[in-house]
Amino acid sequence: MSSSWQVFSSDAALAHVASRPQGLTSAEAEARLQQYGPNELLETGSRPWWVILVDQFSNVMLLMLLAVAVISSFFDIRNALIEGSPPIPKDGIAIFLVVGLNALLGYLQEVRAEAALAALKSMASSRVRVLRDGGPVELDSRLLVPGDILLIEAGIRIPADGLLLEAVNLEVRESMLTGEFHPVKKQAGITLPEETPLGDRLNCIFSGTEVIQGRGVAVVMTTGMNTELGKIASALQEIEPDPTPLQKRMSQLGTTLVQGSLTLVALVITVGMIAQPTLENFEHLVKVSLSMAVAVVPEGLPAVITITLALGTQRMVKRNALIRRLPAVETLGSVTVICSDKTGTLTQNKMMVQRVITANHRLVITGEGYAPVGEFQERGQAIDPWESTELPWLLQGCLLCNDAHLHQENGTWTIIGDPTEGALLTLAGKGGVTRNDHTLPRIAEFPFSSERKRMSVICAEDSTHHHGQLFIKGSPELILERCTRIQMGSEVVGISGEQVNQILADNNELAGQGFRVLGFAYRGIDGIPTEAEVAEQDLIWLGLVAMSDAPRPEAVQAVRRCHMAGIRVVMITGDHQLTAQSVAQELGIATGLSPVLTGRDLEKLSQEELVEQVARVNVFARVSPEHKLRIVQALQSRGEVVAMTGDGVNDAPALKQADIGVAMGITGTDVSKEASDMILLDDNFATIVSAVEEGRVVYVNIRRFIRYILGSNLGEVLTVAVSPLLGVGGVPLTPLQILWMNLVTDGVPALALAVEPGRPTVMQAPPKNPNESIFARGLGNYIFRQGIVLAIVTVTLMVWASGYTNTVTSEILDPRRWKTMVFTTLCLAQMGHAIAIRSNTRLAIEMNQFENPFMLGSVLLTTLLQLLLIYLPPLRNFFGTFYISGVELAVCLGFSILILVWVDLEKLFIRRFLGRRAGREPAIPRTELFG
Ligand code: ADP
Ligand code: MG
């Protein structure tokens, strides 16, 4: 479908969508809603359900299990047919069930996560005014359909694409589509050629753009995903996000294990067949290898990891960090640099003007909060600002060049809008300048942006709007550059070089004290220029206004915690370099000698030079959003894992580029939130650090249960593998029993390990190397040791129990008896292992087991389940176990306790030879010698 609506005349456009100037009827609208669907952008979660479900099977581990199920079903059916019993492939069915359940769980997880994302996005829907049944009505923007007549007014976000029928002084900011921040002046009643680029289609309006001023009427041409915004949105959604470190490692692990187990299978069959090349032996070997294949693969692991990450997001949201993508939880744990905005994140964003400097006055302003009561003091004496002419002009500027509102409620003064502007309204109020009937009407404006670092308004002085006053405020250097004159008392004179130098010196002095400083100027103007550059020149300097914005006390602490945790904190701000440096010093981010890089410096650097610079610069001042993108990229090419905050529309690219894009929940724009991985519900820097801490706890716990689960897997494999060599007669464990262990008796305690509370020391070690393997720092070693010890214990038991005969009749007992003992020992051994592995240094008897009640519960529960498997006849039947006596059970218990003892002996060894003391959890790198 063509979307070049600019070629249409009003009548043609109306005809194209079968509409009329009075709008649609409710019935027509209803029918069209059915036809075109609701006016909304489809969520990322628009993958159909079956695609999500099929995706669950794109996992090598599951595929191998399915293969095992097929092969073992084949043997079961064949044997049943030979024996004449009903051909029910019990193991095969059980494995299929388990695989299906696994996939279902994964599917439910993903669907839920996507629904949560969709809910977040739908909060953005708004109300619009349209003509229906001949009159204006207000409705949910999702009910908008092609053909609707849309009423446009200043301040709204355009809800659909359309052609203008009427436009009065209508200006729309289309930066989200065109990147052009400057508003476009719209026109109705014209037609434009087919090839007109998007940004020049003056007679069209586009979904997602903002109406800066004026009003208009448009006919809606397309809605939802058919709009220009929808086309971008779908392009954005098509980009496959990079897998996170953990996902990469897990798929790497899965492949390794499957390869390993296939190699083992091949080895066992080859060696076994060379030794004894019979068909019967072949079947036996295949059975052994099937059990081994199942034993190698940690079936429970993916589910435990997903649940751990999900629980991590819950803990984080309790600490005000809303995670938007599940894998971000893990990435947070490896963050090495946090780049934070200054204003509002590191500081309180409670602005208060404290100094004013004009040509003839240097004032201190008193007062508290946003209440417009306070004095203008000069050399300690209160003065009346109206005694000079400079000050009333300046206060006028504060009031007029301002979009905030000040209001009083129950005695406290609060602001709506930007705190910087709120503080200026308070200042004006202290001088008696407030909005009233005589306030000059605004006829034009060039709004503030982080790139421009200034804003100006034009206010009408007469009713014809031909003559007006322009007021401008912003970064003092930028304003001063554009001044040719200065207000001195009631006179306006040319500004001298000396005066300029004095003003710059004053500006530096105030900034050096940590003040956020704004410059003010004005001029009379005829007509309304369309270009900011044309309007903002030949200005009359009014003065400097300096406001304080104290650091958040919790941010000071949080910065200290970051440094202890080996995480760099980088401040990025649009403010003056000296302001930035002073605040950074207060926060402990920089010292007086630390280098500060400004946006201007940065522009002169090549990307390679910047990569050099970011290694040592912790404060970036006077930057624009596009600089933020370069900073992230530079840090990343040094191998850093970067968290970066942002709130504006133009911060979105930097947020997307960062490993963790952090948006502001209170002051952030919708666009920045959508680009982010995490939203700070309280806009607070300290919240990022809390989230990082939770991320690290999650990572430590994931490693803990990985070594727990894999150690057990290796023990199982070795036990099965050596059984044919020892001639005990038969495979000790069936695939079904192994699945039971991997999913239940290992899986449930692993879940309890996942909620193991974090140790305070988790933030006292440097971040892990983002490229390290999950087996780094001794984890692989531990798994091998543990697997071998477990195998030695169970194999010893197996050899003993399989030769164990009835003392009365001297006959060899049913082989299922010793197999059940092996099965039980393996399970119980893992219970002891789980209890011991909770800490790397404290012995099981030194730990308070009630610290993690889930562990206690899960050990009791799985032990009980294991007993039911032996002593409850139907379960005994299904799992192929055998009744064992109390004495035999006690023997199993005795053997299995050896594992707990072994793990604790290792701890004692480490303490003794590496000088660790009891109860002290050492820093991560050394401890992780053990995992
Ligand atoms: P940050 O958010 O890092 O403090 P901003 O981009 O908000 O930086 O501000 C950068 C500079 O722009 C400020 O130092 C100030 O000089 C100027 N400025 C900030 N807010 C406004 C505003 N509302 N109007 C005009 N200028 C402003
Ligand atoms: Mg700001």
Side-chain angles (χ1 to χ4, degrees):
M1 192 175 20
S2 149
S3 56
S4 304
W5 315 124
Q6 73 277 9
V7 301
F8 285 96
S9 68
S10 299
D11 290 339
L14 285 169
H16 187 83
V17 289
S19 186
R20 58 200 88 81
Q22 307 78 32
L24 303 173
T25 66
S26 300
E28 282 169 331
E30 182 59 35
R32 290 187 188 194
L33 192 62
Q34 295 298 328
Q35 185 187 346
Y36 296 101
N39 173 37
E40 59 191 355
L41 298 184
L42 292 182
E43 308 307 334
T44 328
S46 58
R47 278 193 301 166
W49 64 269
W50 57 268
V51 172
I52 303 181
L53 194 60
V54 168
D55 270 357
Q56 306 302 317
F57 290 93
S58 59
N59 171 332
V60 268
M61 298 203 245
L62 288 188
L63 290 181
M64 200 189 77
L65 276 185
L66 290 178
V68 170
V70 171
I71 299 176
S72 88
S73 304
F74 168 78
F75 279 115
D76 280 357
I77 293 175
R78 200 194 65 148
N79 289 346
L81 290 179
I82 292 171
E83 287 167 20
S85 51
I88 301 169
K90 218 172 45 183
D91 282 6
I93 292 174
I95 297 173
F96 269 120
L97 280 180
V98 168
V99 171
L101 195 70
N102 230 316
L104 190 69
L105 282 181
Y107 168 75
L108 289 178
Q109 276 286 356
E110 273 193 44
V111 169
R112 238 187 53 194
E114 297 202 349
L117 282 185
L120 194 89
K121 284 189 187 167
S122 77
M123 286 179 350
S125 98
S126 56
R127 300 189 71 75
V128 295
R129 284 176 64 209
V130 296
L131 296 181
R132 289 267 174 98
D133 302 315
V137 293
E138 204 182 80
L139 43 88
D140 190 312
S141 67
R142 280 176 290 195
L143 301 178
L144 210 60
V145 292
D148 263 329
I149 303 297
L150 179 70
L151 305 177
I152 301 166
E153 58 194 0
I156 71 162
R157 183 179 258 249
I158 303 250
D161 287 3
L163 186 89
L164 283 165
L165 304 177
E166 224 182 294
V168 183
N169 197 15
L170 183 66
E171 285 193 25
V172 181
R173 178 182 295 154
E174 300 182 332
S175 54
M176 44 289 288
L177 288 180
T178 59
E180 171 56 52
F181 191 79
H182 204 81
V184 182
K185 230 189 169 78
K186 293 292 181 180
Q187 283 176 36
I190 55 170
T191 56
L192 295 168
E194 174 93 39
E195 64 276 6
T196 314
L198 215 56
D200 297 337
R201 297 186 189 169
L202 301 183
N203 54 351
C204 293
I205 51 163
F206 300 104
S207 178
T209 58
E210 296 163 339
V211 181
I212 302 301
Q213 66 171 8
R215 51 169 214 88
V217 178
V219 54
V220 173
M221 303 301 285
T222 52
T223 59
M225 291 304 279
N226 293 325
T227 61
E228 295 298 327
L229 186 70
K231 286 176 199 162
I232 303 179
S234 59
L236 284 179
Q237 287 167 10
E238 276 159 22
I239 298 170
E240 274 284 307
D242 272 350
T244 69
L246 184 64
Q247 286 173 316
K248 279 185 213 152
R249 282 181 216 132
M250 286 326 293
S251 61
Q252 181 192 322
L253 176 68
T255 323
T256 314
L257 289 174
V258 169
Q259 282 169 353
S261 75
L262 291 181
T263 316
L264 258 175
V265 166
L267 203 71
V268 167
I269 296 186
T270 319
V271 172
M273 284 307 281
I274 290 171
Q276 193 190 337
T278 64
L279 193 62
E280 195 195 352
N281 187 40
F282 179 70
E283 188 187 332
H284 174 68
L285 288 171
V286 168
K287 272 191 182 162
V288 172
S289 5
L290 287 186
S291 283
M292 268 168 38
V294 178
V296 168
V297 177
E299 289 81 9
L301 201 53
V304 182
I305 287 181
T306 313
I307 293 172
T308 308
L309 293 174
L311 288 176
T313 62
Q314 283 178 11
R315 285 204 302 270
M316 288 176 186
V317 81
K318 277 198 200 120
R319 299 178 77 171
N320 285 324
L322 183 76
I323 298 295
R324 296 188 63 244
R325 290 188 313 114
L326 194 60
V329 177
E330 192 260 343
T331 313
L332 270 168
S334 41
V335 162
T336 59
V337 180
I338 303 177
C339 297
S340 174
D341 288 340
K342 173 181 73 73
T343 310
T345 313
L346 287 164
T347 67
Q348 301 180 4
N349 220 0
K350 289 192 187 127
M351 305 278 179
M352 167 144 152
V353 175
Q354 298 199 326
R355 301 276 189 282
V356 171
I357 299 179
T358 61
N360 293 324
H361 296 279
R362 307 177 77 83
L363 302 167
V364 171
I365 315 297
T366 65
E368 224 164 272
Y370 292 110
V373 275
E375 291 181 342
F376 290 68
Q377 294 180 346
E378 189 151 38
R379 284 177 229 99
Q381 298 290 310
I383 64 154
D384 177 359
W386 289 84
E387 277 171 11
S388 88
T389 325
E390 298 154 24
L391 286 171
W393 269 115
L394 180 67
L395 299 181
Q396 279 284 326
C398 289
L399 179 78
L400 295 173
C401 187
N402 201 314
D403 291 321
H405 294 270
L406 199 59
H407 68 123
Q408 191 186 17
E409 212 173 283
N410 311 328
T412 54
W413 289 83
T414 51
I415 50 153
I416 300 173
D418 182 354
T420 304
E421 301 200 329
L424 295 172
L425 288 185
T426 301
L427 176 71
K430 286 173 182 172
V433 177
T434 53
R435 286 200 184 97
N436 59 35
D437 296 345
H438 303 297
T439 305
L440 301 180
R442 187 187 292 185
I443 49 176
E445 64 184 80
F446 300 101
F448 170 78
S449 76
S450 311
E451 286 89 353
R452 271 168 42 81
K453 297 188 175 53
R454 60 184 185 273
M455 83 175 261
S456 57
V457 298
I458 300 175
C459 297
E461 281 209 311
D462 58 14
S463 52
T464 59
H465 291 191
H466 285 318
H467 186 72
Q469 293 289 348
L470 175 139
F471 288 94
I472 182 166
K473 73 177 196 295
S475 159
E477 312 92 284
L478 293 176
I479 306 287
L480 199 55
E481 268 173 16
R482 292 166 171 75
C483 285
T484 51
R485 297 165 287 168
I486 182 169
Q487 186 83 28
M488 296 188 74
S490 52
E491 281 179 47
V492 172
V493 298
I495 194 164
S496 70
E498 232 165 278
Q499 281 169 319
V500 168
N501 288 339
Q502 180 61 45
I503 292 167
L504 288 175
D506 287 339
N507 179 32
N508 284 351
E509 192 190 322
L510 290 168
Q513 294 168 30
F515 286 117
R516 180 172 171 92
V517 192
L518 294 185
F520 281 79
Y522 80 107
R523 76 158 168 139
I525 194 165
D526 289 324
I528 304 173
T530 50
E531 292 290 316
E533 282 304 327
V534 176
E536 296 169 347
Q537 58 162 340
D538 193 20
L539 301 169
I540 304 165
W541 178 259
L542 284 171
L544 292 170
V545 172
M547 54 187 82
S548 60
D549 180 19
R552 290 172 180 264
E554 65 274 23
V556 180
Q557 271 187 15
V559 168
R560 207 175 304 136
R561 295 186 66 209
C562 282
H563 289 162
M564 238 179 342
I567 298 170
R568 254 177 77 195
V569 181
V570 173
M571 177 198 271
I572 299 186
T573 177
D575 256 340
H576 192 276
Q577 53 272 31
L578 292 173
T579 310
Q581 191 163 32
S582 162
V583 177
Q585 228 168 311
E586 270 183 79
L587 284 160
I589 293 175
T591 66
L593 300 172
S594 316
V596 176
L597 207 68
T598 65
R600 231 175 249 185
D601 301 335
L602 200 147
E603 267 167 14
K604 291 189 204 120
L605 299 178
S606 70
Q607 192 64 13
E608 292 80 54
E609 286 164 330
L610 183 60
V611 170
E612 293 264 300
Q613 291 287 317
V614 293
R616 49 190 200 99
V617 176
N618 286 339
V619 179
F620 292 87
R622 289 284 189 239
V623 292
S624 306
E626 78 259 24
H627 300 143
K628 285 172 118 178
L629 181 63
R630 284 189 61 194
I631 295 170
V632 183
Q633 286 167 336
L635 283 166
Q636 284 174 333
S637 55
R638 299 193 70 89
E640 307 281 5
V641 178
V642 186
M644 158 88 71
T645 67
D647 49 12
V649 176
N650 304 337
D651 287 332
L655 292 183
K656 287 211 185 89
Q657 177 70 35
D659 299 275
I660 299 283
V662 184
M664 300 298 139
I666 305 171
T667 56
T669 56
D670 290 341
V671 181
S672 67
K673 287 180 189 169
E674 269 170 40
S676 71
D677 303 295
M678 175 167 94
I679 297 177
L680 304 180
L681 298 177
D682 56 0
D683 289 14
N684 189 342
F685 175 78
T687 300
I688 308 176
V689 184
S690 307
V692 168
E693 179 181 355
E694 292 295 350
R696 285 188 173 195
V697 171
V698 165
Y699 187 70
V700 168
N701 284 344
I702 287 181
R703 275 174 54 99
R704 212 187 285 283
F705 63 65
I706 283 185
R707 67 196 169 121
Y708 169 73
I709 289 181
L710 291 187
S712 161
N713 279 33
L714 187 62
E716 294 162 12
V717 178
L718 292 176
T719 307
V720 176
V722 297
S723 64
L725 307 177
L726 298 174
V728 289
V731 189
L733 299 159
T734 66
L736 183 57
Q737 289 170 347
I738 293 171
L739 265 186
W740 164 262
M741 286 196 286
N742 289 356
L743 287 171
V744 182
T745 61
D746 283 1
V748 177
L751 277 180
L753 282 177
V755 295
E756 184 67 25
R759 308 269 183 263
T761 45
V762 73
M763 290 297 270
Q764 289 169 14
K768 63 169 201 287
N769 177 347
N771 298 321
E772 80 170 27
S773 135
I774 192 109
F775 298 113
R777 288 176 282 138
L779 191 126
N781 251 326
Y782 178 93
I783 292 172
F784 270 102
R785 278 201 310 279
Q786 196 55 34
I788 289 170
V789 173
L790 186 62
I792 291 176
V793 169
T794 41
V795 168
T796 312
L797 174 105
M798 176 166 74
V799 171
W800 176 77
S802 60
Y804 166 72
T805 51
N806 189 320
T807 43
V808 182
T809 61
S810 289
E811 72 187 284
I812 304 260
L813 297 167
D814 189 310
R816 278 181 298 170
R817 182 183 290 262
W818 67 262
K819 290 183 185 179
T820 302
M821 286 177 74
V822 171
F823 179 35
T824 307
T825 307
L826 270 172
C827 290
L828 295 182
Q830 278 297 92
M831 298 303 109
H833 190 190
I835 290 172
I837 205 174
R838 280 187 47 222
S839 166
N840 298 330
T841 48
R842 290 176 300 158
L843 304 184
I845 41 167
E846 291 168 344
M847 280 186 268
N848 175 2
Q849 294 301 334
F850 290 94
E851 249 170 21
N852 184 351
F854 294 102
M855 178 55 81
L856 211 55
S858 70
V859 165
L860 293 177
L861 176 75
T862 33
T863 307
L864 183 74
L865 287 176
Q866 181 66 21
L867 294 179
L868 289 181
L869 244 60
I870 304 173
Y871 297 109
L872 206 68
L875 284 179
R876 185 155 73 208
N877 231 337
F878 186 77
F879 282 92
T881 55
F882 197 79
Y883 175 88
I884 57 175
S885 70
V887 176
E888 286 160 342
L889 186 62
V891 171
C892 295
L893 193 65
F895 270 89
S896 55
I897 282 193
L898 293 176
I899 295 301
L900 187 153
V901 173
W902 169 263
V903 175
D904 274 3
L905 279 178
E906 283 201 350
K907 291 180 201 167
L908 284 177
F909 177 84
I910 292 238
R911 274 196 219 167
R912 168 122 196 156
F913 293 101
L914 299 173
R916 301 262 176 255
R917 262 177 294 122
R920 208 183 104 227
E921 201 80 10
I924 293 175
R926 300 283 302 275
T927 355
E928 296 252 353
L929 221 116
F930 255 61

